[in-house]
Amino acid sequence: MRHLLKTVSTAAAVAAGVLAASAVSTGAAGAATPGPASLYAPSDLVLTVGQGEDAATATVQRAVTLSCALKASGTHPAPSAACAELNSVEARFDKLVDASSTVMCTKEWNPVVVSAAGVWKGKHVAWTTTFGNPCEMRAGLANTALLNF
């Protein structure tokens, strides 16, 4: 009888160890592959204006954040209008730049770079454009809520 109790308690200890190891490995696997945080794909951008010829070397003068998932938010001054505009052009930023502006600007070379980087509806996006000077930038972006910040 004593031998039987020892065998049963050993078997119980082994089973408990297997269950504990199984729970730990399941927990680790579950932590490595988290479920989706929401039903909506992320749409978060950083928009910048910088002094220089390209975004990689420009000195950033202004930067804002914009999040368009569920509710428009961020540091952008008009997040709702910016998200609506971005949605209407399907994140094709070039469609927001007015190349045919009739505003008169000097022809001085004082380049300004405008860029957008982040995620739009779950896909990485990166866009940049360079204007010859601040006047050309204001003229080219006069009709856009997204790029006026």
Side-chain angles (χ1 to χ4, degrees):
M1 177 84 170
R2 193 174 220 174
H3 177 60
L4 180 62
L5 286 176
K6 189 173 182 182
T7 303
V8 169
S9 67
T10 301
V14 169
V18 169
L19 288 174
S22 174
V24 168
S25 67
T26 302
T33 56
S38 73
L39 298 175
Y40 300 95
S43 293
D44 297 307
L45 300 170
V46 175
L47 308 166
T48 62
V49 173
Q51 190 70 46
E53 293 186 25
D54 71 43
T57 59
T59 301
V60 175
Q61 296 172 321
R62 292 187 308 278
V64 295
T65 59
L66 180 65
S67 180
C68 296
L70 287 178
K71 179 182 168 195
S73 63
T75 60
H76 192 285
S80 295
C83 289
E85 190 172 72
L86 192 57
N87 198 41
S88 73
V89 296
E90 298 173 351
R92 292 182 297 214
F93 298 92
D94 287 333
K95 288 187 165 201
L96 300 174
V97 178
D98 182 6
S100 64
S101 174
T102 58
V103 174
M104 298 294 287
C105 292
T106 62
K107 296 298 179 188
E108 71 177 309
W109 184 245
N110 184 13
V112 179
V113 166
V114 179
S115 66
V119 178
W120 177 251
K121 294 186 178 179
K123 295 184 181 181
H124 289 280
V125 293
W127 172 83
T128 185
T129 191
T130 303
F131 296 93
N133 57 54
C135 177
E136 289 181 6
M137 180 192 75
R138 283 189 301 276
L141 303 179
N143 298 320
T144 174
L146 176 68
L147 300 174
N148 271 310
F149 53 90

